[in-house]
């Protein structure tokens, strides 16, 4: 997937254009550190989700090295939950904050004591299916937004001093609200050495659930931390029958790196090219 563009049509046929592409590569290398990195979180999954205008039921998981139900929430930091549209993180369906001192441990679970302002229940349990994983069960009677249209959603948690995000759950209209599918299971990369399944894993798993999704349409979505990586990428080509290759480079106004003053590299000159040169090395970023 990282090399998807390198064997497709669209390489520049002009030698001077090749030299300019090499210059562009130098710019990417020198300015890459100026691009803001998207925050990563612990990963998780949505196991069950129903949402109506006045009611929400969410069962999800958080995987973190060595975590247990009684250590997930810190001594002072509150527990926060947010359910948002996976394709538009500004579209928040529901968000709530519960003070840390409102959680009490009773046997094999930690629960919200229901003495605060939060209008519902929260139960934290160690997963019997997956190691280093806490199952979070939330039932709330409150105002839930966006339940009148099908959408993809993700749940996010601030637990203790760290964040967690689930994989995407697809939701369809069902009567007066949304009925959502379970997301793919979260399974960390094997070399992370945590979060292994104790029982048969989900049919589909992903190690990338905790990553932030960059919704900037001018950025290649494959590497969230750097808009223009991997390079070169067919994401930044558009059809143009007037060029010899039938393609034209198409960087957006905010696709290329920016300097410390927040000024983006002007893509005008590069957008005259009919493709990427086969000369430059392939660039990618593996944050972990």
């Amino acid at each position: 997937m990282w090399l998807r563009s390198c064997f497709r049509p669209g390489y520049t046929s002009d030698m001077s254009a090749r030299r300019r592409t090499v210059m562009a590569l130098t710019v990417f290398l020198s300015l890459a550190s100026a691009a803001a990195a998207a925050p990563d979180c612990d990963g998780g999954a949505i196991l069950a989700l129903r949402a109506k205008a006045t009611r929400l039921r969410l069962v999800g998981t958080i995987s973190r090295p060595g975590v247990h139900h009684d250590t997930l929430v810190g001594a002072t930091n509150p527990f926060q939950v947010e359910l948002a549209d996976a394709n538009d993180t500004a579209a928040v369906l529901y968000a709530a904050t519960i003070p840390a001192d409102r959680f009490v441990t009773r046997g094999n679970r930690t629960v919200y004591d229901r003495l605060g302002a939060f209008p519902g229940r929260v139960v934290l349990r160690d997963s019997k299916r997956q190691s280093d994983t806490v199952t979070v069960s939330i039932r709330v009677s409150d105002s839930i937004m966006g339940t009148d249209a099908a959408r993809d959603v993700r749940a996010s948690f601030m637990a203790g001093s760290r964040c967690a995000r689930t994989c995407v759950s697809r939701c369809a209209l069902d009567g007066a609200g949304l009925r959502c599918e379970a997301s793919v299971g979260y399974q960390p990369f094997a070399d992370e050495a945590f979060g292994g399944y104790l029982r048969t894993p989900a049919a589909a798993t992903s190690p990338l659930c905790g990553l932030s999704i960059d919704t900037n349409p001018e950025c290649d979505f494959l590497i969230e931390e750097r808009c223009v990586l991997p390079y070169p990428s067919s994401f930044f080509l558009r059809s143009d029958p007037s060029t010899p290759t039938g393609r034209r480079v198409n960087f957006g106004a905010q696709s290329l790196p920016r300097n410390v003053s927040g000024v983006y590299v002007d893509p005008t000159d590069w957008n005259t090219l009919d493709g990427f040169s086969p000369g430059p090395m392939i660039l990618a970023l593996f944050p972990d």
Side-chain angles (χ1 to χ4, degrees), residues 9-10 234-243 245-250 273-274:
S234 57
F235 181 89
F236 295 108
L237 294 177
R238 63 179 174 84
S239 297
D240 188 340
S242 69
T243 70
T245 63
R247 301 283 194 275
R248 186 174 294 279
V249 174
N250 186 41
L273 305 180
D274 63 353

Side-chain angles (χ1 to χ4, degrees), residues 105-151:
T105 297
R106 297 169 181 165
N108 63 355
R109 61 181 186 168
T110 296
V111 301
Y112 166 58
D113 65 9
R114 304 190 71 187
L115 298 178
F118 178 71
R121 299 173 180 264
V122 181
V123 179
L124 309 176
R125 290 188 178 92
D126 289 351
S127 172
K128 296 181 178 180
R129 186 182 186 188
Q130 187 175 10
S131 67
D132 306 289
T133 299
V134 171
T135 299
V136 181
S137 300
I138 298 173
R139 292 177 180 265
V140 60
S141 297
D142 205 345
S143 178
I144 315 299
M145 309 300 293
T147 60
D148 57 348
R151 63 181 72 241

Side-chain angles (χ1 to χ4, degrees), residues 2-277:
W2 304 107
L3 312 183
R4 63 178 178 174
S5 65
C6 304
F7 303 101
R8 291 187 178 184
Y11 296 110
T12 178
S13 59
D14 181 83
M15 184 58 69
S16 63
R18 292 185 185 183
R19 287 194 293 270
R20 286 195 291 174
T21 304
V22 174
M23 292 174 59
L25 180 62
T26 304
V27 172
F28 297 151
L29 285 170
S30 62
L31 295 180
S33 60
D40 291 349
C41 291
D42 297 312
I46 291 177
L47 304 181
L49 177 59
R50 290 293 306 273
K52 297 184 178 181
T54 59
R55 189 175 300 173
L56 174 69
R57 176 178 178 266
L58 168 64
V59 181
T61 64
I62 298 172
S63 293
R64 179 183 299 172
V67 73
H68 295 286
H69 66 87
D70 54 348
T71 62
L72 180 68
V73 180
T76 57
N77 294 316
F79 180 82
Q80 297 174 289
V81 58
E82 179 179 284
L83 187 68
D85 191 303
N87 302 306
D88 180 7
T89 54
V92 176
L93 281 66
Y94 182 72
T97 299
I98 306 172
D101 60 6
R102 294 270 64 93
F103 284 89
V104 296
T105 297
R106 297 169 181 165
N108 63 355
R109 61 181 186 168
T110 296
V111 301
Y112 166 58
D113 65 9
R114 304 190 71 187
L115 298 178
F118 178 71
R121 299 173 180 264
V122 181
V123 179
L124 309 176
R125 290 188 178 92
D126 289 351
S127 172
K128 296 181 178 180
R129 186 182 186 188
Q130 187 175 10
S131 67
D132 306 289
T133 299
V134 171
T135 299
V136 181
S137 300
I138 298 173
R139 292 177 180 265
V140 60
S141 297
D142 205 345
S143 178
I144 315 299
M145 309 300 293
T147 60
D148 57 348
R151 63 181 72 241
D152 298 339
V153 301
R154 296 176 96 191
S156 299
F157 305 98
M158 279 297 300
S161 60
R162 293 167 63 172
C163 61
R165 283 193 199 91
T166 70
C167 289
V168 174
S169 172
R170 298 186 181 278
C171 301
L173 284 173
D174 180 29
L178 297 175
R179 180 184 292 274
C180 307
E181 301 174 359
S183 72
V184 301
Y186 171 64
Q187 186 168 17
F189 291 104
D191 60 3
E192 296 284 345
F194 80 96
Y197 278 88
L198 305 173
R199 299 180 181 176
T200 305
T205 62
S206 171
L208 306 175
C209 299
L211 297 184
S212 175
I213 292 180
D214 190 344
T215 57
N216 182 353
E218 296 182 351
C219 290
D220 192 320
F221 60 88
L222 289 180
I223 299 179
E224 304 295 344
E225 287 78 5
R226 295 292 185 269
C227 179
V228 79
L229 296 183
Y231 177 88
S233 172
S234 57
F235 181 89
F236 295 108
L237 294 177
R238 63 179 174 84
S239 297
D240 188 340
S242 69
T243 70
T245 63
R247 301 283 194 275
R248 186 174 294 279
V249 174
N250 186 41
F251 290 124
Q254 297 183 4
S255 295
L256 302 183
R258 59 186 175 183
N259 63 20
V260 294
S261 299
V263 179
Y264 288 88
V265 173
D266 186 347
T268 301
D269 287 344
W270 286 287
N271 288 349
T272 64
L273 305 180
D274 63 353
F276 295 107
S277 169

